[in-house]
Amino acid sequence: MIWDPKYETMPRGDLVKLQGERLKSVVQKVYDRVPFYRTKFDAAGVKPSDVRSIDDLRRLPFTTKDEMRDVYPYGLLACPINDIIEIHTSSGTTGKPVVDAYTRRDVELWGEVMARTLSMGGVTRGDIVQNAYGYGLFTGGLGAHYGAQRVGAACIPISGGNTKRQLDVMRDFGSTALTCTPSYALYMAEAGLSEGIDFGKLPLKYGFFGAEPWSDGMRSEIEEKLKIKAYDIFGLTEIIGPGVAAECECQNLLHVFEDHFYPEIINPDTGEPLPDGEKGELAFTTLTKEGTPVIRYRTRDITFLTREPCKCGRTSVKMHRLLGRTDDMLIIRGVNVFPSQVEQVLTKIEGVETQYQLLVERKDNLDCLEVQVEMNESLFSDELKVIEHKEREIEHQLKEALLVHSRVKLVEPKSIARSEGKAKRIIDKRKI
């Protein structure tokens, strides 16, 4: 279902024109109202009058997370604090959090783009959305909540955690849609199956999963265990929260809502824009945000864009699901390794689950990578020599994919700590 045909199917020429008009407006606004941006623009030698179309975006300076932290809490406000009705922040686990402040119109925009997101997967009025994203300063919970309400669906604001209660609510209230992180969806599926729940007999039909990278193999596992269609959604606190991009019914890349959030792919080393189809770092400019608009924010996410037509009829640019991040990338003996690469290999191997952790240590001045992977019950019951053979098989497959050797250690089923939020994939014990 297309929620807003006017903008979601807008001819490309009209959309580019609209983007240019909105860019000119937001650039003038931040120059006039946000000293942080006025200083940056002046240092770069660019004035709002220099921006005449969306093509002029590349003349503007980038914004980084560290810069946003430096002006905590209100240094990015483009309106009086009296106009702000809601405030969210990033986790702040590595420093001061990034603040995203919303006017009433921003909250309405958030509901609109999340309504598009849920509609893409089939949610309509009459559906029951079990929202297991966390509520609070984290944007996930309220973003999905506003979208469900905008569509007209019933929203169960259960938030994250308390898996037994999640499963009880799913059965008792007849939830038809689930929103949470993909790792928690898989954890919930495992917990339900261990309790003897037949998900095929529940009304649950679709799930909307984001906030962490995941693979098509993990999608297949979630769909098989929960008996649903699983859709990838994307967002980030610095831009608006969830609702920046989402998969349509074709489940083939994510449509970016580029009438509101303009994407670029840049070379992470030079900042130069890259052509469609080439992998690089994703950057976003908000075109309609009022509270805390952002210009060319460097997300550190690695992906690529394509403008090939989609069978669904939407005309927006599409982005590939995240391939990793420049700041969670491991460098092992000079080779770049992303957790998502490991997951892609594991999903194709029989006898193991997609629960894994990467343990990195430095021994004799050399980096060593150990991949700990859970066995399923069938492999766990086999002889030791069978398990050792499987470890060697996985090591070979990983060497082919990663181009670096890793030691594989198969561990007991359900022995890797589960997460009710983002899965913790990396344990880096190096003293760097």
Side-chain angles (χ1 to χ4, degrees):
M1 172 184 171
I2 297 179
W3 173 256
D4 188 346
K6 176 182 177 181
Y7 291 103
E8 293 183 71
T9 63
M10 180 176 282
R12 289 297 309 177
D14 294 344
L15 179 57
V16 170
K17 182 179 178 182
L18 176 67
Q19 290 169 334
E21 293 169 352
R22 289 180 168 177
L23 178 63
K24 287 188 288 183
S25 177
V26 73
V27 167
Q28 186 68 61
K29 177 188 292 186
V30 299
Y31 189 83
D32 291 342
R33 302 181 185 180
V34 185
F36 167 79
Y37 275 118
R38 186 183 309 118
T39 300
K40 284 181 70 72
F41 287 3
D42 287 347
V46 63
K47 301 291 184 184
S49 58
D50 296 327
V51 178
R52 300 180 179 87
S53 72
I54 198 67
D55 292 335
D56 293 319
L57 180 64
R58 65 179 58 200
R59 306 178 66 174
L60 302 175
F62 291 104
T63 305
T64 68
K65 179 170 284 192
D66 285 342
E67 289 176 326
M68 297 173 83
R69 287 171 173 153
D70 288 343
V71 295
Y72 170 91
Y74 294 132
L76 293 177
L77 277 187
C79 64
I81 190 64
N82 289 350
D83 292 339
I84 298 300
I85 67 167
E86 192 167 317
I87 295 174
H88 290 269
T89 74
S90 63
S91 63
T93 53
T94 56
K96 287 285 188 181
V98 172
V99 175
D100 194 357
Y102 302 71
T103 64
R104 187 170 301 280
R105 184 177 173 187
D106 289 336
V107 171
E108 291 172 355
L109 164 63
W110 200 8
E112 277 291 310
V113 291
M114 278 306 296
R116 292 184 189 180
T117 297
L118 297 175
S119 295
M120 282 179 166
V123 173
T124 62
R125 185 179 182 87
D127 273 302
I128 300 174
V129 179
Q130 183 164 330
N131 186 15
Y133 282 116
Y135 281 70
L137 289 175
F138 173 61
T139 55
L142 280 171
H145 187 104
Y146 293 144
Q149 288 188 331
R150 185 71 184 89
V151 167
C155 184
I156 303 174
I158 193 168
S159 195
N162 201 337
T163 304
K164 185 180 186 308
R165 189 182 182 201
Q166 296 274 2
L167 295 168
D168 289 342
V169 166
M170 188 179 292
R171 287 179 295 192
D172 296 344
F173 289 85
S175 304
T176 58
L178 175 65
T179 59
C180 62
T181 62
S183 57
Y184 189 48
L186 195 53
Y187 177 50
M188 202 181 301
E190 290 177 342
L193 292 170
S194 68
E195 288 187 15
I197 295 176
D198 184 349
F199 287 102
K201 294 182 178 179
L202 299 185
L204 197 66
K205 294 182 288 186
Y206 13 68
F208 300 85
F209 308 122
E212 63 186 10
W214 54 306
S215 64
D216 282 328
M218 190 173 185
R219 184 218 298 273
S220 297
E221 189 172 358
I222 291 171
E223 290 187 333
E224 172 60 27
K225 290 182 176 179
L226 286 178
K227 309 302 181 186
I228 61 172
K229 292 278 281 184
Y231 296 94
D232 193 8
I233 69 174
F234 172 79
L236 58 167
T237 300
E238 294 83 356
I239 303 304
I240 198 170
V244 175
E247 286 183 329
C248 67
E249 58 270 26
C250 299
Q251 294 179 299
N252 179 26
L253 309 186
L254 293 86
H255 290 271
V256 180
F257 304 135
E258 58 174 321
D259 50 324
H260 297 291
F261 317 111
Y262 187 81
E264 301 174 88
I265 299 295
I266 62 171
N267 183 312
D269 297 321
T270 67
E272 288 300 308
L274 297 175
D276 287 356
E278 192 165 335
K279 287 185 283 188
E281 181 183 344
L282 181 64
F284 273 108
T285 297
T286 63
L287 299 177
T288 55
K289 278 285 297 297
E290 292 184 335
T292 46
V294 180
I295 305 297
R296 302 192 83 187
Y297 173 68
R298 297 187 62 160
T299 68
R300 302 298 180 184
D301 290 317
I302 301 298
T303 185
F304 63 85
L305 301 177
T306 177
R307 288 172 173 79
E308 293 180 359
C310 185
K311 293 180 181 179
C312 73
R314 294 174 179 86
T315 55
S316 54
V317 66
K318 293 193 293 184
M319 58 176 270
H320 191 279
R321 66 168 63 228
L322 299 184
L323 299 167
R325 288 179 57 84
T326 60
D327 55 2
D328 77 355
M329 178 180 69
L330 291 170
I331 302 179
I332 308 296
R333 302 187 186 185
V335 178
N336 298 339
V337 176
F338 289 102
S340 56
Q341 294 174 288
V342 175
E343 183 174 301
Q344 287 280 11
V345 171
L346 297 180
T347 57
K348 299 174 183 177
I349 295 177
E350 294 183 0
V352 301
E353 303 289 346
T354 51
Q355 295 293 341
Y356 67 95
Q357 282 189 326
L358 310 183
L359 177 63
V360 189
E361 296 180 289
R362 181 158 288 176
K363 299 178 180 179
D364 299 324
N365 296 317
L366 289 176
D367 292 334
C368 300
L369 173 63
E370 180 179 279
V371 182
Q372 298 181 353
V373 188
E374 279 188 5
M375 295 176 274
N376 62 25
E377 295 290 349
S378 175
L379 181 59
F380 181 58
S381 64
D382 274 330
E383 297 177 358
L384 180 60
K385 63 180 181 181
V386 175
I387 295 173
E388 290 176 344
H389 177 76
K390 180 63 69 172
E391 287 176 337
R392 302 293 85 74
E393 175 192 343
I394 299 172
E395 286 178 358
H396 174 74
Q397 297 280 0
L398 288 174
K399 178 68 178 296
E400 292 277 319
L402 306 179
L403 304 180
V404 66
H405 175 74
S406 60
R407 177 177 180 268
V408 171
K409 181 180 180 181
L410 292 175
V411 298
E412 296 180 9
K414 297 182 172 54
S415 61
I416 293 177
R418 296 321 198 240
S419 171
E420 294 178 345
K422 293 187 180 183
K424 182 175 177 59
R425 299 299 192 195
I426 299 172
I427 301 175
D428 195 338
K429 293 185 175 182
R430 293 175 294 182
K431 303 296 182 183
I432 300 177

